[in-house]
Amino acid sequence: MTERQKDLLTLTIMLAVMIGLLSPILFTSKIIRAPDILNEYYWSVKDLHTMQLRDLFDVRLTAGWSMYINSGYTTEGGDISLQFLKYHNLIYKLFPPPASVGWFIMLHLFWGGVGTYLYCRIIGASRFAALMGGLIFAIATENASLINAGHVLKIATISYAPFAFYLLEKGFQSRRVIFFMATGFALAFQFFNYHWQIAFYTCMSMAVYGIIRFFGIASLEKKEPSKIWKLLGLNAVLLVFFLTTVSISLMPLANWSKDTNRGVQSGANQGKGGLDRDEAMSWSMPPEELLTMIIPGFFGFSRQEGGENPKNISSYYWGRMHMTQTNDYMGLLPWLLVPLPLIFRRDKYVWIAFCAVVGGILFSLGKYSYIYNLLYDYFPGINKFRVPKMMMFVTTLGLGVFAARGIDLLLDENVRKTKAFSRYIAGIILFPVLLLLFLALLKSGEKHWVNIFAEHLAQPTRYQQGIELIYERWGTILTETVIAAFFAAGYAVLFFAFYKKWIAVRILPFLILFLLLADIGRVNSKFMFTVDVPVKSKGKDTQVMEFLKRDSNQYRVLPLNSDPLQYANSSIPVMFTSMPVQQTRWQDIIDNFSFNSAIPDMMNIKYLVFSSEQYQQEKGQLAEKFQPVFMSSDNSEIVLQNISVLPKAWLVSTALLARDRLQALDIIKNPSFNPQKIAVVESASPLPISGIDNQSLVLQGGVIVDRYENDIITISAETPVNSLLILSEKYYKGWNATVDGKPVEIFPVNYILRGVYLPPGKHKVEFIFDPLPFKIGKYLTLGSFALFAAMLIREWLIRKRAIKLMTF
C-alpha cells in the first residue's frame, strides 16, 4: 500500500467515525431545531434537491439588488461569490431534504478535519496522531455545537482555516510560489462562504503565523539574504493574490459597509465607524467559562427555546453569555496531552500551537481581556464585529495540533523511559483526584455555596424562572463534575496501564479513540436536536400569501405576526427583514417608523398582516387609513390595507430644502407631512422648482412604471412643469439613472427615497443598478482564477516532466 493510499484509508476512517457520531442529523426525516435553519437557511436550499443539474451550475455575476427583502437590499455583489461554491448546490442535490442540511454540515466539519490532518502530517505527526488531531478539530463541541445555533455557513467558513495553515506551511517548507498562491486561494474561498468575521479572524491568525515563521527562518538564514528576500516576496505574492482573488466580494463589501451602521460614517465608536465598545464586546467569554473546557455542563447546556426541547439536558445554560447556543468543550484528551509537547518537544510548531491556544482564549475573553481592548482601540477591523468568542476555532485547531504531537510522544518508548514522563503520569493520575476533591468541597459545603451563589443560580432565562432553578442548576454542577472526574479517571487508568506495559501499543489507539468519542459524543448529543419539519417549510403558501399575490409586486407587505422571509421567498416584497447590519438611513427609518406618519405611504406599504389576537390588541392604535380586507378561513390571520399608500413613482413640483439630513428626517416623520405634495431634499435643485412658500398641489402629471425588476426600473413620465420624479425605492449610490437616454444625477428625497428632476414634457426614465466597485472586483477575481489555473497547469507539466526523467 502506497503512502497516499494509507492517508486515504485513514481519512476514510475519520469520515466513518464522523458519520456515526453525527448520525442523528444525517439519517432522519426531521430537521435540526435551530431558529436560523427553521426560519431562514432551510428555506433557501430546500428546493435545490429537485432542480435540474445544469441549473445548479448556472453562474450569473451581477451585483444584484433584491426588491423582495428589506424594501430593497444589496451587498453590491459582496455575496455573489457564493456562486463559485457550486459544490454547495451539489450536496443539496445529492442528499434529500431536510437531512441534506445535516450532511452539508458533516461534510464541512470533515473537510476541516482533513485540513488539520494534513497540517499535522506535514509537521511530522504519525497517521494515527494526525487522525486524532483532525477528529478533535472536526468533532470538538466548540465547533460541532454550532449545529444547535444553525450557523451553517459559519461551520463551512471555519472548515477552510486548517487548509490555509497547511498550504502556508507547505509554502514555507518548499519555498515554491504555487503553495503561497494556493494559500491565498484557500483564504479567498473561505471568504466566499459568506461569514466574513471568521474569514477576518483567520487572516489575522495567518498573519501572526506567517510573521513567526518568517522571522524564525530569517534568523537561521541571515547569512543568505537572497533567500530571505525571496521568502518575503513569496509572502507578498500570497497577500496580493488573496486580495485580487477575493476582490469580487471585498471591493463591493468595502464600499457597501461605509454607509451602514458599522461603517466609517455611521457615527458609532466615537465617529471612527464600526460598533461602539459595548456592542462590539457583546458575547465576550466570561473568565469563569474556562471551567466548561473541563466540566462542560458547569453552566448548563444550550438554551431553552420557545418550544420543544431536548430531553437529555437537565439544566439549560444560565451563565453570563446572553443567549448562548454553543459550548466551549473540546474534550479532556487534548488538554491532558498538552503537557507532553511542552515538556519533551518545544519546537517552533509547539510554540505556534501554544500561541493559537492561548491567543484564541485571550481574544475570546473580549471585554474581560486587556489584549482585546487594545486591539479594539488600535487594530483596524476589530470594531466591525461582535462576539469575540468566535476566535475559539483557532484554539480548537491549536489543541488538535497539540494532541497530535502529544500522542506521538505518548507512543514514543524513549520518552516513556524518562523521569519527566513518570512525573507526567503522576500529574494525569492527580487530575481526577483534584476533580473529586473539588466535588467533595462542593458537596460538603452545599448549603454554604448555594447561599453565596443563590442570586446567580436563580437567574431567569427567557423561558425559565423560579426558585427551583437553583436546585436544578446546582444538581447539574455536581453531576457534570462527577462525569468529568469519571472520564479523567478513565484516561488516567489508560495512560498508567500503558506506562506499566499492561496494554499493548497496538491496542492503545483504539482505547484512546473510544474514550474521546464517548467523552465528546456525550456532550455533542445535546446539540443535535431534531424536530418535525414545520408546515411552513414544506413550500406551501398560506391563504394570506395567496391573497397578497393577487396584487402587483410594486407594493410592499409588512408582516407583524411571522417571519417576513416566508413572504419574500414567495416573491412578495416585504418592508422589513431583520439583519445585523443595515444601511444607516434605513436604520434611522426603522427606528422612527410610525403607522401614523407618512412613512408607510411613501414606502409602498399597502398591506399589514396581523394575527387576530394582535389585531384586537393593537387596532385602537392604528390610523384609520388601515382597513381590514381579508381574513384567513381559520380566523387566525387578518390583512389590513393602507388606503393612503402612494404608487411606485409619482411627481411633485414643490420641494423643501432641509439644512441637513437630520432635519429631513424630522420633517418626514411628522404626521402632518404629505409626500404627495411636497418633497424634502438635501441639496439645491438643478432645475427651478417651486419652494414651500408657494401653494403645494398634487401634480396632475402622468407616471407609468413600464418595467419593475430587481436591477432595472423604467418609467414613462409626462409633466407640465419642472418637477421631481420620486421613486419609492431606497436611495443608494450603486444606482444610475438616465432621462431620455442621457445620464442624470439621482438625489436623496424624503430622506430615504431616490428622485430625479424632470423638465416639462414626456420622458423615458431608466434606473439601472450597476455599481462600479463590483465590476472592478469581478475582473480582478476572474483574472486571478485564470492565473491560478495557468499555474496549476504549469505545476502539472513540471511534475509530468519529472516523472518522465525518473523513468529513464
Side-chain angles (χ1 to χ4, degrees), residues 61-65 74 76 255 710-712 732-737 746 767-776 778-779:
L61 300 182
T62 56
W65 177 278
T74 186
E76 291 192 34
N255 191 56
N710 283 315
D711 297 332
I712 184 168
Y732 196 82
K733 57 199 170 188
W735 283 90
N736 301 316
I746 302 175
F767 295 88
I768 297 177
F769 187 64
D770 190 25
L772 181 61
F774 174 78
K775 288 194 289 187
I776 297 173
K778 178 174 71 173
Y779 291 117

Side-chain angles (χ1 to χ4, degrees), residues 67-68 541 548-549 553 565-574:
M67 63 185 178
Y68 293 108
D541 288 343
L548 295 172
K549 279 188 172 183
N553 67 353
L565 282 176
Q566 299 175 52
Y567 293 80
N569 288 329
S570 292
S571 301
I572 301 172
V574 295

